[in-house]
Amino acid sequence: MKYKIHLFALITLALFACRKDKSKVDGPSITEIFSDFKVAETFKCSKDSVNFNKGETAFFTARFNKIVKWTITIQGNTSKAVKIINGESKVIDASNSSWNGSTTVFPMFAKEFCLAKLTIKDVTDSFTTNVRISNTKKLEGVIVADFETGLNAKWTRFAQSGANMDFQIKTDAFAPQGKSYLNMAGTVNWDYLIGLIDFPANAYSAAPTLPLPTNPESVYFNCLIYGVNNTNTSLVLFQFKEDENGDGIINANNEDEYDYQITVDWVGWKLISIRYADIVTLVNGNPAAAKGNALHNPDKIGKISMLHLANPNNGFASSKLDLMMFTLNKPLEP
Amino acid sequence: MKHTQKKNINSISNKANMPTVKVKYSIGLTLLLIFSLQLNAQKDRKLTFVGGARSILNNGRLIVNDSIPDTTTVKRNEGGYALIDLGVNIKPNKNTEIMGMFRIKNNFGGFWGSGVSFDVRQLWIKGIVGNVLRYQLGDLNLKQSKFTLYNHHADQIDSLPAIFNLQQNIVNYERFYMNNNTWRMQGANVDFGLTFSKFLKEINFTAFLTRLNATNFANVSDRLMNAYSVQLVKNNHLALTGHTNTIFDVNGTTNNKNLFNNSVNSIEWKYENKLKTDNAYSFAGEFGNSHYYYSADTLAPRLSDYFIHAFAQMKLKKMNLMATVGYLNVGADFRSIGAQSKDVNYNAQPVYFNRYTNTQVIRPTTLFDVISNENIYSRTINSNFMSGSQLFNNVLPYGLATFNRVGAYLKLNYKNKKELMANAEYYNLSEIRGQGTTALKQFAIYKVNVNVPFHKLFNLKRTLSIQAATNMQMANRKGNEAIEDVDLKMMQTTVGLRWEFSPNFELIGGMINQTNKGNDFSADRNAYTEVTYFQLNNYNLTQQITAVGLRYNFTPKIYLCALYQQSNYQDKKQNNANFKMNQFGLIYNIIL
């Protein structure tokens, strides 16, 4: 009898457990994926002209018969700046193609006409549309240096007297933002240091520290660095020196210094962004204990030093720098 | 009520401990030397040295059959290594045991530092508190139920001829697959039992906490597994076990507030009894549910689903037969990292002839690798979703814990007193939820495995046995549109021979043939295990491994063996270039 009861229980359990979930399907439709590609709605931009400075955005629209991997490449006719937007969908709309004037490949966009080109993976045809930038994107944050107005009188500049030295602001087509940038180059075969600039807080306000919030988690340091082809590797070192007691004097023995060293091992302009809370103290390139209160206090940064370094045994090194600035809550989106 | 007595640590059933010497076999077609040391083996000694050693010499050849002759790849491979695992087992008192094992490995060609590595192979402490509570800290070999934490070995061939087992056992030793279906983990484990005189026979409690990955102090949080099982044994017939297994990110170990959580809860039951005819029957199974989510990621889905597995088993003693009929229902959103981690990592590159052809593409993972390449096997569970291979197991890539499967199975096992053995299995399964279509795939597995010990059947003095097995898997779907149709078959056949033709001299051989033919779609999944795309795969692939060897048994634990092995990979769809690998080797094996 027990045997029958258990058998009955088993069969009942199995019947209860029978299920087919036809109301849902996992993943995209196979029929769509493997059918021939067709455009159901042509590629367009939502605006003929857009003023990014006022916070406006533009987006693109298109519709296909299936989910595809697509790329929109927007290029400025004059600046040659490029913005790339990628996606994988059946529909291109504001949710996946919104553009706020930011740049993927530098220089940054200018007031200019742009050509937007839509390419689709495994489809030979491409589709284009035009959009005009009536005003460029506003840079929101605390700008330390964009070199547009030359050297600030309160900055301190030092350059070694090596061969082929250049530690000057240049104004030419290389500039990724505005018209000017800092060019750093030279051969210094007796020292790592090629040149440096100190950016004291009093260059920006009467206070002894930079006007930044207290929370190091919300403060990002950003800059644009250009790696020069066929030169030896540059090191760009940023030193954030905190004036913890606010006396206007940086004391290296009992106040924090946080350091961010960048090995410039790429070619072209690159955006560097780091959260202030993630920057550590370095001694000879190695992490070390901070000498002050050991707390990241962005609101107490009294001076930033930017050093251009290179291995003295390697010879000539060169790189370029532009748009040093702090942003809040997120990295710079230039 | 009284505590279950644990008189001495040596009486502990050691599921979390690796045996002192477990190298039973070694790699075919290589020279392998294994010896072990066990000094002061008497039970009451406080200090015991344990360990093992192995030396492997490879002699392999690659033959590439590509449309463009391969003039780039180096076609011969000779090398190997020697290693020693030296462990110290300390028993400071009768209730405590400490084990530390170091590995020194030297790749041939390197000496005095070059190519030499030193590792800690295992480290643990175990003991008993108050003659009641057993504990172990450090390395643990753990499993729970088949749906909570279990190493299913879903892609390993479960009817391997003995000659291939030599290689598979090296993988098992290297990856700590020592106690069947366990995963090697690190953490703490405790268990204790209580016995009763009334109502219940006993209660057993097991709990463990292990660390799956460590924080990087930036954005990757500490990920832990916390689990416990409570078993209620009513009497000799009925037992119920409740399992809980939770994998979770530890809040505060980084500033990342998006914390992962995967919890599985289940209840296992087993009822067994005997009939008057001396036959026995049992009903057993497990049901439960899972939850899988990220705490703060708005893009991440919250997946919850349930599973049921139940089976009835009848043992017919006079007929030497055991029959099992089972039912399986695992929801499409059932996620259990502990039970759905795979031992084979198909994204790992094979180290042996890992690139080939003139363009130096990565050699595909083949039957040869699945049998003998330890580098594609995972030591522990992976905290992320692991994809399977349609070539080796398309029906149950995660064993019984494979999600999106419903159906039944039947097993027949015959084994007589003379060890004539025959097993047959049949699975008939279906998807629960469509993949890219509302049409559902149907699956079937047919397995037959026969072992004939002629020496026992005909009372021969020397061993003569033949083993043969076949494993056929099918996946079909009749789609709403022709493009959705699926028809993929896998046929795997194994044959093995063991013949003692002269006293202590054995001829051993084996062959495995596998064909995959047809088409199926494989799913691309994102980090949340959601399907994002489907790839259409067309197969017409044949793989074959043949091996033959001569073995001389000095004692049951010491033997010398010479082996020759050929493997052949033929892809008629030309997705990958065809190739062959031939190997020769010697095995010298000692277990003390």
Side-chain angles (χ1 to χ4, degrees):
Chain A
M1 187 60 192
K2 268 187 180 176
Y3 174 79
K4 286 179 181 172
I5 291 170
H6 288 299
L7 188 63
F8 175 76
L10 187 70
I11 292 169
T12 307
L13 186 65
L15 289 174
F16 261 99
C18 281
R19 57 173 161 173
K20 302 281 180 185
D21 196 354
K22 286 212 166 189
S23 60
K24 284 178 75 179
V25 170
D26 279 345
S29 163
I30 285 176
T31 305
E32 283 184 10
I33 291 173
F34 293 95
S35 59
D36 292 334
F37 171 78
K38 286 176 189 165
V39 176
E41 188 181 307
T42 55
F43 180 54
K44 288 179 190 168
C45 182
S46 62
K47 291 177 180 169
D48 295 330
S49 177
V50 58
N51 186 341
F52 293 122
N53 197 264
K54 288 184 176 176
E56 290 179 7
T57 59
F59 63 89
F60 298 89
T61 57
R63 187 181 296 271
F64 318 112
N65 68 324
K66 59 191 260 186
I67 294 173
V68 292
K69 290 181 179 175
W70 50 262
T71 300
I72 299 171
T73 307
I74 309 155
Q75 184 165 43
N77 290 355
T78 308
S79 67
K80 302 302 178 190
V82 173
K83 172 68 180 180
I84 296 171
I85 305 170
N86 290 306
E88 184 176 352
S89 63
K90 194 174 174 180
V91 177
I92 298 177
D93 57 19
S95 68
N96 54 18
S97 70
S98 184
W99 181 37
N100 61 2
S102 61
T103 309
T104 306
V105 179
F106 294 101
M108 292 166 65
F109 285 94
K111 294 176 187 176
E112 59 186 332
F113 282 95
C114 300
L115 180 71
K117 184 177 177 181
L118 171 68
T119 53
I120 292 153
K121 192 184 175 202
D122 299 327
V123 174
T124 50
D125 293 339
S126 60
F127 312 90
T128 59
T129 187
N130 294 298
V131 58
R132 177 176 160 265
I133 300 174
S134 63
N135 206 347
T136 56
K137 189 172 186 284
K138 188 189 291 182
L139 295 171
E140 292 181 347
V142 176
I143 296 177
V144 179
D146 64 1
F147 307 106
E148 293 302 306
T149 54
L151 284 171
N152 186 310
K154 292 185 177 175
W155 295 350
T156 306
R157 173 183 167 279
F158 168 77
Q160 301 266 27
S161 55
N164 301 313
M165 294 300 295
D166 186 358
F167 216 74
Q168 302 292 334
I169 293 171
K170 291 207 167 183
T171 303
D172 57 32
F174 262 113
Q177 179 268 335
K179 295 177 179 174
S180 303
Y181 61 92
L182 177 67
N183 193 51
M184 304 180 290
T187 304
V188 178
N189 57 14
W190 65 90
D191 193 0
Y192 263 85
L193 180 66
I194 295 175
L196 69 83
I197 296 180
D198 285 338
F199 304 92
N202 62 13
Y204 308 96
S205 69
T209 57
L210 289 176
L212 292 169
T214 56
N215 183 4
E217 307 283 345
S218 66
V219 175
Y220 287 77
F221 175 73
N222 313 272
C223 65
L224 299 174
I225 297 178
Y226 186 93
V228 181
N229 197 15
N230 293 324
T231 61
N232 294 302
T233 303
S234 291
L235 302 173
V236 177
L237 174 64
F238 292 98
Q239 298 173 329
F240 302 88
K241 298 170 181 175
E242 294 185 358
D243 181 5
E244 292 174 356
N245 57 14
D247 63 356
I249 299 167
I250 306 294
N251 191 330
N253 293 321
N254 56 22
E255 291 181 312
D256 288 345
E257 174 187 314
Y258 296 101
D259 311 286
Y260 184 41
Q261 181 173 293
I262 300 150
T263 303
V264 186
D265 53 4
W266 63 87
V267 175
W269 286 105
K270 183 175 178 179
L271 171 66
I272 303 292
S273 294
I274 186 168
R275 191 168 52 175
Y276 189 68
D278 295 336
I279 303 175
V280 299
T281 299
L282 299 176
V283 173
N284 295 326
N286 298 313
K291 292 185 176 175
N293 62 10
L295 298 172
H296 288 77
N297 304 118
D299 57 318
K300 292 180 179 174
I301 296 174
K303 183 162 68 176
I304 301 171
S305 298
M306 187 284 300
L307 292 79
H308 183 229
L309 310 167
N311 187 331
N313 298 320
N314 289 348
F316 183 77
S318 176
S319 58
K320 306 176 198 300
L321 176 70
D322 202 358
L323 196 57
M324 291 168 55
M325 68 179 293
F326 289 96
T327 52
L328 299 183
N329 300 319
K330 61 180 183 180
L332 175 67
E333 199 182 13
Chain B
M1 187 181 79
K2 62 178 180 179
H3 296 305
T4 306
Q5 289 297 306
K6 313 292 181 193
K7 292 184 184 300
N8 191 300
I9 197 165
N10 291 317
S11 66
I12 295 174
S13 134
N14 190 1
K15 70 178 178 182
N17 184 14
M18 194 190 73
T20 55
V21 176
K22 273 284 191 178
V23 182
K24 289 185 177 175
Y25 307 102
S26 63
I27 197 161
L29 314 183
T30 58
L31 175 67
L32 173 61
L33 174 65
I34 295 177
F35 68 87
S36 62
L37 304 169
Q38 184 147 0
L39 304 177
N40 301 326
Q42 296 168 18
K43 278 186 180 177
D44 49 354
R45 291 290 177 92
K46 290 189 173 182
L47 187 65
T48 309
F49 293 98
V50 296
R54 182 168 72 235
S55 178
I56 293 182
L57 269 176
N58 291 318
N59 185 345
R61 189 173 173 218
L62 176 72
I63 302 155
V64 181
N65 183 14
D66 198 6
S67 53
I68 302 168
D70 180 3
T71 56
T72 309
T73 310
V74 176
K75 305 291 195 317
R76 294 198 78 96
N77 184 323
E78 292 185 33
Y81 60 84
L83 66 82
I84 181 166
D85 291 335
L86 181 61
V88 181
N89 191 302
I90 306 164
K91 290 178 184 169
N93 56 56
K94 70 172 186 177
N95 288 331
T96 308
E97 186 176 343
I98 302 166
M99 174 72 173
M101 181 177 280
F102 303 92
R103 166 170 285 191
I104 306 169
K105 185 176 179 181
N106 185 19
N107 291 321
F108 289 151
F111 200 60
W112 295 114
S114 171
V116 178
S117 60
F118 295 85
D119 292 306
V120 176
R121 181 165 163 80
Q122 57 174 321
L123 199 60
W124 49 256
I125 301 168
K126 69 176 180 179
I128 302 171
V129 177
N131 275 354
V132 175
L133 182 75
R134 297 188 298 190
Y135 69 89
Q136 180 159 342
L137 305 172
D139 294 328
L140 308 167
N141 290 342
L142 295 170
K143 71 174 176 181
Q144 266 185 307
S145 73
K146 289 178 178 171
F147 295 86
T148 50
L149 177 63
Y150 199 82
N151 187 351
H152 288 275
H153 297 302
D155 300 343
Q156 287 191 2
I157 300 168
D158 51 12
S159 53
L160 265 185
I163 195 165
F164 299 113
N165 260 329
L166 303 179
Q167 302 163 57
Q168 188 83 74
N169 284 344
I170 290 283
V171 174
N172 292 343
Y173 177 78
E174 290 301 313
R175 291 294 174 258
F176 298 98
Y177 303 155
M178 307 309 295
N179 301 313
N180 287 336
N181 308 107
T182 58
W183 283 112
R184 185 70 157 188
M185 306 178 89
Q186 290 174 321
N189 179 73
V190 294
D191 62 284
F192 65 90
L194 304 170
T195 58
F196 301 86
S197 56
K198 285 183 179 178
F199 306 115
L200 275 179
K201 187 182 177 190
E202 60 185 78
I203 297 176
N204 298 309
F205 182 87
T206 304
F208 57 84
L209 179 70
T210 64
R211 191 187 205 189
L212 301 190
N213 63 253
T215 175
N216 66 356
F217 304 105
N219 54 0
V220 177
S221 301
D222 250 328
R223 185 164 291 182
L224 306 183
M225 174 186 279
N226 174 31
Y228 62 84
S229 300
V230 180
Q231 184 189 40
L232 308 176
V233 181
K234 168 74 176 163
N235 48 42
N236 289 337
H237 305 298
L238 181 64
L240 287 174
T241 310
H243 301 285
T244 292
N245 186 303
T246 307
I247 291 171
F248 61 100
D249 289 344
V250 182
N251 191 14
T253 51
T254 63
N255 291 319
N256 184 1
K257 300 299 179 194
N258 183 33
L259 304 173
F260 173 73
N261 188 295
N262 177 207
S263 64
V264 186
N265 306 293
S266 77
I267 293 176
E268 258 188 304
W269 76 92
K270 185 169 186 179
Y271 177 82
E272 55 189 348
N273 210 342
K274 285 188 176 179
L275 298 172
K276 290 176 182 174
T277 54
D278 215 21
N279 295 329
Y281 67 94
S282 63
F283 296 104
E286 184 178 4
F287 67 92
N289 63 1
S290 73
H291 303 282
Y292 179 100
Y293 62 89
Y294 289 83
S295 63
D297 191 339
T298 54
L299 296 175
R302 294 180 77 91
L303 301 178
S304 295
D305 216 325
Y306 67 92
F307 72 91
I308 298 169
H309 173 225
F311 63 92
Q313 201 167 65
M314 178 72 85
K315 292 176 185 171
L316 305 170
K317 199 172 180 182
K318 286 183 181 174
M319 296 170 69
N320 301 308
L321 192 66
M322 184 168 73
T324 308
V325 58
Y327 173 80
L328 182 69
N329 188 326
V330 187
D333 288 333
F334 176 74
R335 296 290 183 276
S336 171
I337 284 177
Q340 292 169 342
S341 283
K342 290 185 68 67
D343 52 356
V344 181
N345 177 6
Y346 289 100
N347 293 321
Q349 289 186 22
V351 291
Y352 195 69
F353 294 125
N354 65 326
R355 287 182 183 271
Y356 76 138
T357 75
N358 262 1
T359 52
Q360 290 293 282
V361 297
I362 294 170
R363 182 173 64 78
T365 302
T366 65
L367 196 56
F368 170 84
D369 301 298
V370 171
I371 290 171
S372 63
N373 188 348
E374 70 196 51
N375 297 286
I376 66 168
Y377 278 86
S378 303
R379 180 181 55 82
T380 189
I381 67 170
N382 195 316
S383 54
N384 297 309
F385 182 80
M386 293 179 76
S387 56
S389 166
Q390 290 181 327
L391 295 178
F392 295 101
N393 196 340
N394 194 29
V395 178
L396 292 170
Y398 308 97
L400 289 177
T402 303
F403 52 86
N404 201 18
R405 295 289 186 273
V406 61
Y409 62 85
L410 174 68
K411 294 181 182 180
L412 293 172
N413 303 88
Y414 174 86
K415 188 175 183 182
N416 67 14
K417 290 174 182 172
K418 294 200 170 185
E419 294 185 12
L420 176 66
M421 189 198 77
N423 297 326
E425 293 180 23
Y426 168 63
Y427 288 78
N428 189 321
L429 302 168
S430 164
E431 287 179 338
I432 294 168
R433 183 186 300 160
Q435 304 293 293
T437 168
T438 54
L440 302 176
K441 278 191 216 172
Q442 309 297 320
F443 303 97
I445 300 176
Y446 300 89
K447 282 185 183 179
V448 178
N449 181 17
V450 178
N451 186 32
V452 185
F454 289 103
H455 59 291
K456 294 201 172 177
L457 292 176
F458 301 108
N459 297 319
L460 304 177
K461 284 184 180 175
R462 298 180 195 134
T463 304
L464 174 60
S465 65
I466 290 177
Q467 178 255 317
T470 183
N471 174 11
M472 187 163 70
Q473 292 195 352
M474 293 189 290
N476 288 285
R477 180 170 64 201
K478 181 63 184 166
N480 305 317
E481 305 280 341
I483 186 66
E484 297 171 352
D485 288 355
V486 166
D487 182 11
L488 180 61
K489 290 185 181 66
M490 187 271 272
M491 179 69 142
Q492 194 179 66
T493 310
T494 62
V495 179
L497 167 74
R498 195 175 159 197
W499 177 34
E500 188 181 10
F501 58 91
S502 175
N504 300 320
F505 253 118
E506 283 186 333
L507 175 70
I508 53 174
M511 187 273 290
I512 305 174
N513 189 79
Q514 180 177 315
T515 58
N516 300 85
K517 197 169 183 180
N519 76 292
D520 198 353
F521 296 89
S522 58
D524 292 347
R525 293 180 184 270
N526 61 16
Y528 312 125
T529 75
E530 294 174 305
V531 178
T532 56
Y533 202 74
F534 291 98
Q535 308 286 345
L536 175 60
N537 303 312
N538 283 294
Y539 302 104
N540 189 354
L541 177 66
T542 302
Q543 299 181 75
Q544 192 174 70
I545 305 183
T546 312
V548 63
L550 275 177
R551 181 163 73 175
Y552 183 77
N553 298 305
F554 297 98
T555 73
K557 292 184 175 180
I558 304 174
Y559 66 80
L560 175 67
C561 188
L563 291 170
Y564 181 72
Q565 178 169 281
Q566 283 187 326
S567 67
N568 191 359
Y569 180 93
Q570 275 197 312
D571 184 354
K572 290 176 185 168
K573 291 285 183 185
Q574 296 292 307
N575 297 320
N576 296 294
N578 298 336
F579 63 93
K580 293 179 181 177
M581 285 189 290
N582 300 337
Q583 289 180 304
F584 175 76
L586 291 170
I587 299 174
Y588 189 67
N589 186 36
I590 302 174
I591 300 172
L592 294 177

